[in-house]
Amino acid sequence: MRFHIILTAALALAGTASAQEHPPHAQAWTYGGATGPERWSELEPANAACATGQQESPIDLTGAITADLGVLDIDWSPMPAAARDTGHAIQLDAPEGSTMAVGGQTYRLLQFHVHQPAEHLLDGRRFPLEIHFVHAGPDGVLGVLGVFAGVGATSAPLQAVIDSLGAPTAGPALDPNGLLPAGRDFFRYEGSLTTPPCSETVDWVVLSAPITVSQDQVDAFERLHPGNTRPMQPLHRRFLLRSGH
């Protein structure tokens, strides 16, 4: 039931909430023009949810219900720095063994990739970057952890991703935990892939605190994939939860 039990508990407290995020597709899609987000649903029948879905992502993370969502347990192991360009984002695939657990469910890390600028908004604010850590859960459900990045100090792990792109061999081990902020407050909601076919099979966890990256690092992703960001989607009748007591 994904986290419906958590939603029920949250409402009481409030007084009243495929195996990759970016699977391959036969029909080309882009972030602009005739094959951009406004036309994704027309590219093939499987993309119908891109236009008609009621639980689409990304959203503006605002007006959340504060609830006790339990502990977010991230258990990631170092991995070789071997980034690749999928044609839509810069991505690093994860070997077996790394997991995320939240709400009584454990998800297995598959990959992480970068969006420039961020896809989700935080109270109307858009960060320069957003990293999506895509995990596989049971019955085809995905658990995606979103991490915002603002401009500040250079991120050594993110630089390792940039430096490994197109390299003939994998770089030294990269610790993905270095791409997490110190704080673990987070939002949760039921949503979708942010790319075709926009399947509504994603348990979203988005950390409220950002990490920092340098302006040069932001510029590097802007040169590689500028604007690989889906427009905001309406919340509709969903509940947006925020961890807290």
Side-chain angles (χ1 to χ4, degrees):
M1 296 193 301
R2 298 163 72 181
F3 58 99
H4 293 297
I5 294 175
I6 297 174
L7 289 173
T8 302
L11 290 175
L13 289 170
T16 48
S18 146
Q20 294 185 357
E21 188 191 0
H22 292 171
H25 302 287
Q27 178 67 41
W29 56 271
T30 65
Y31 284 99
T35 54
E38 294 76 15
R39 308 294 293 274
W40 285 351
S41 64
E42 303 169 17
L43 299 179
E44 57 182 286
N47 297 351
C50 298
T52 63
Q54 298 295 296
Q55 295 190 149
E56 291 297 292
S57 300
I59 62 171
D60 187 353
L61 303 170
T62 188
I65 300 170
T66 301
D68 183 358
L69 300 178
V71 175
L72 173 61
D73 184 10
I74 297 172
D75 184 11
W76 294 340
S77 300
M79 61 187 69
R84 62 188 179 91
D85 192 333
T86 66
H88 299 105
I90 303 306
Q91 177 174 307
L92 197 151
D93 298 321
E96 293 287 339
S98 293
T99 61
M100 173 182 75
V102 61
Q105 180 59 59
T106 299
Y107 304 83
R108 175 174 52 87
L109 181 63
L110 300 174
Q111 50 100 335
F112 69 86
H113 59 270
V114 182
H115 291 272
Q116 189 286 316
E119 294 205 293
H120 290 89
L121 299 184
L122 181 59
D123 288 324
R125 175 186 178 186
R126 192 182 297 278
F127 285 88
L129 298 179
E130 183 176 345
I131 306 171
H132 289 169
F133 294 87
V134 182
H135 302 73
D139 304 322
V141 173
L142 299 176
V144 182
L145 175 69
V147 176
F148 295 122
V151 174
T154 298
S155 167
L158 192 64
Q159 191 60 46
V161 172
I162 295 170
D163 292 345
S164 72
L165 184 63
T169 59
L174 178 156
D175 185 356
N177 293 283
L179 294 170
L180 294 171
R184 287 292 188 273
D185 289 341
F186 60 94
F187 296 90
R188 286 206 76 184
Y189 77 98
E190 293 188 357
S192 75
L193 310 181
T194 62
T195 63
C198 307
S199 306
E200 296 179 342
T201 56
V202 180
D203 291 341
W204 276 98
V205 177
V206 184
L207 297 180
S208 57
I211 62 169
T212 62
V213 300
S214 71
Q215 185 62 55
D216 285 346
Q217 291 175 320
V218 172
D219 293 345
F221 284 99
E222 185 174 13
R223 286 192 298 270
L224 292 164
H225 284 291
N228 60 341
T229 301
R230 188 187 187 192
M232 287 294 102
Q233 303 298 307
L235 187 62
H236 290 305
R237 297 176 62 85
R238 289 175 287 178
F239 294 102
L240 173 63
L241 308 182
R242 183 169 188 166
S243 64
H245 301 278

